[in-house]
């Protein structure tokens, strides 16, 4: 079993002014009424959740200072998997034991909607899929901040602010909680050209809360997480780029699945069309083989958390996400399928 996150290290030189502020706002609840979003990590049905302790402006300042200093460097370490502990989803939870659906949301588009390069469906998924950067301080050396890269996708929500990714992308502390000091930045439509210039066609978005799906066994079939983003100048991310629909509780395999991600080796939006089959976990994850991207070598580090989309939905109203890319099992791509626990965390986060 392989998990595909990319990890970077943040060097401390030149950041003496920025790091103390970052450490303070990452651990101390703000006092002003406009900054009242802070709270300690807490348990929710099916998972655990933490809310931001920094305002949108503070988070943007933190990331901007890091970018300006140019002190990021690639790190070859690996984020350890973790097993958050929380109560199971209650049987009376809305949606428990049922398939829960929501449609995709996007501006009116014309043209072919089937999933082919340049089609309306592919363009919609390209816009809503983006890179997530995650930063957190080294507990043993607080002057060092680690940064990792994963993929996320905007999904339809009442708040219009939710993205989905993988649980193993979210840093944690020694108590099995979401790391309360971590910072997240989402760039929908992210790419980097051959000259090394990064492109953020829809801007960059900070976060207000994050939740991960519980699985005390650490199974890949439950490797899911959700983040709620702050607005950008008053605009919700869903209103800016659209969203994929969702389906929680998939029990019948579609004819094909599409996995999307932004691997670090290309820094480009990348898709694989797969023939799905059920994996061995209990509950089973979806595995995909054959088709473009045989194996998962093209969905390498950085693609973790990318959307697992029902490939049959591109002909009928837009992408519908049913889970998220997690890594691989043997030579085949492995994805966590969203079920009751994931739905509970999604509802709590938004």
């Amino acid at each position: 079993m392989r998990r595909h996150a990319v990890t970077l290290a943040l060097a401390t030189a030149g950041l003496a002014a920025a790091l103390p502020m970052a450490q303070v706002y990452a651990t101390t609840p703000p006092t002003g009424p406009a900054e009242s979003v802070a709270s300690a990590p807490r348990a929710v049905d099916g998972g655990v959740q933490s809310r931001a302790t920094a305002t949108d402006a503070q988070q943007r300042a933190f990331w901007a200072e890091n970018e300006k200093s140019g002190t990021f460097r690639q790190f070859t370490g690996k984020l350890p998997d973790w097993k958050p502990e929380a109560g199971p989803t209650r049987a009376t939870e809305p949606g428990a034991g049922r398939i829960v659906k929501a449609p995709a949301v996007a501006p009116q588009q014309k043209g072919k909607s089937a999933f082919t390069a340049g089609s309306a469906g592919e363009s919609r998924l390209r816009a809503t899929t983006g890179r997530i950067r995650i930063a957190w301080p080294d507990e043993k050396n607080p002057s060092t901040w680690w940064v990792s890269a994963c993929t996320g996708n905007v999904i339809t929500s009442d708040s219009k602010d939710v993205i989905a990714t993988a649980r193993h992308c979210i840093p944690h502390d020694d108590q099995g909680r979401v790391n309360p000091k971590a910072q997240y930045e989402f760039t929908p439509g992210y790419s980097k050209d051959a000259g090394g210039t990064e492109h953020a066609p829809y801007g960059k978005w900070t976060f207000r809360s994050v939740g991960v799906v519980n699985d005390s066994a650490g199974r890949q079939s439950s490797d899911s997480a959700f983040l709620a983003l702050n607005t950008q100048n008053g605009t919700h991310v869903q209103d800016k780029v659209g969203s994929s629909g969702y389906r929680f509780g998939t029990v019948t395999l579609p004819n094909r699945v599409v996995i999307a991600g932004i691997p670090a080796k290309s820094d480009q939006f990348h898709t694989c069309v797969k023939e799905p089959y059920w994996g061995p976990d209990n509950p089973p994850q979806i595995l995909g083989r054959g088709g473009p991207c045989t194996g998962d070598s093209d969905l390498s580090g950085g693609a973790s958390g990318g959307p697992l989309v029902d490939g049959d939905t591109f002909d009928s109203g837009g992408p519908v996400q049913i889970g998220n890319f997690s890594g691989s099992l043997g030579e085949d791509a492995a994805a966590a399928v969203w079920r009751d626990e994931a739905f509970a965390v999604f509802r709590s986060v938004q």
Side-chain angles (χ1 to χ4, degrees), residues 246-341:
Y246 62 68
R247 184 167 71 241
F248 290 84
T250 293
V251 293
T252 302
L253 286 173
N255 293 314
R256 60 178 176 172
V257 292
V258 178
I259 301 173
I262 304 176
K265 71 177 184 180
S266 68
D267 290 314
Q268 299 287 332
F269 174 78
H270 187 84
T271 59
C272 293
V273 180
K274 297 283 192 178
E275 298 300 322
Y277 67 100
W278 291 117
D281 274 2
N282 184 24
Q285 74 272 58
I286 284 181
L287 300 178
R289 60 187 168 202
C293 300
T294 298
D296 65 350
S297 59
D298 291 326
L299 288 169
S300 55
S304 281
L308 170 74
V309 177
D310 182 339
D312 300 332
T313 62
F314 286 91
D315 296 317
S316 57
V320 173
Q321 187 169 347
I322 59 176
N324 55 270
F325 178 57
S326 178
S328 60
L329 187 64
E331 294 300 316
D332 292 341
V337 187
W338 293 341
R339 296 182 173 84
D340 287 351
E341 289 75 16

Side-chain angles (χ1 to χ4, degrees), residues 100-302:
V100 181
K101 302 179 182 180
V105 176
Q108 186 67 33
Q109 297 188 45
K110 298 180 180 179
K112 187 178 180 181
S113 62
F115 190 83
T116 57
S119 68
E122 193 264 358
S123 297
R124 289 170 66 166
L125 192 60
R126 182 185 294 269
T128 60
T129 300
R131 171 156 290 176
I132 304 174
R133 288 197 298 170
I134 309 107
W136 70 98
D138 188 327
E139 295 297 331
K140 297 180 179 179
N141 184 14
S143 62
T144 297
W145 281 72
W146 304 108
V147 177
S148 64
C150 279
T151 299
N153 184 48
V154 183
I155 61 172
T156 304
S157 66
D158 293 339
S159 67
K160 302 182 179 181
D161 298 324
V162 177
I163 62 172
T165 189
R167 180 185 67 212
H168 76 264
C169 294
I170 308 301
H172 59 287
D173 61 18
D174 294 338
Q175 300 179 47
R177 307 177 306 175
V178 177
N179 191 321
K181 302 175 185 177
Q183 301 295 314
Y184 305 84
E185 180 188 70
F186 178 63
T187 307
Y190 173 91
S191 66
K192 182 186 290 186
D193 61 30
T197 301
E198 294 184 306
H199 297 277
Y202 309 105
K204 298 179 180 181
W205 305 72
T206 61
F207 89 111
R208 69 171 187 266
S209 64
V210 55
V212 299
V213 175
N214 168 53
D215 189 335
S216 59
R219 292 171 296 192
Q220 198 163 14
S221 57
S222 299
D223 186 24
S224 299
F226 301 89
L227 291 89
L229 307 178
N230 292 312
T231 57
Q232 185 186 96
N233 299 321
T235 300
H236 299 278
V237 68
Q238 182 174 307
D239 289 337
K240 184 78 169 183
V241 303
S243 64
S244 294
Y246 62 68
R247 184 167 71 241
F248 290 84
T250 293
V251 293
T252 302
L253 286 173
N255 293 314
R256 60 178 176 172
V257 292
V258 178
I259 301 173
I262 304 176
K265 71 177 184 180
S266 68
D267 290 314
Q268 299 287 332
F269 174 78
H270 187 84
T271 59
C272 293
V273 180
K274 297 283 192 178
E275 298 300 322
Y277 67 100
W278 291 117
D281 274 2
N282 184 24
Q285 74 272 58
I286 284 181
L287 300 178
R289 60 187 168 202
C293 300
T294 298
D296 65 350
S297 59
D298 291 326
L299 288 169
S300 55

Side-chain angles (χ1 to χ4, degrees), residues 9-20 65-73 141-145:
L10 171 59
T12 58
L15 290 180
L19 285 175
E65 179 62 26
N66 292 342
E67 292 170 346
K68 180 180 179 181
S69 67
T71 53
F72 291 100
R73 68 180 187 271
N141 184 14
S143 62
T144 297
W145 281 72

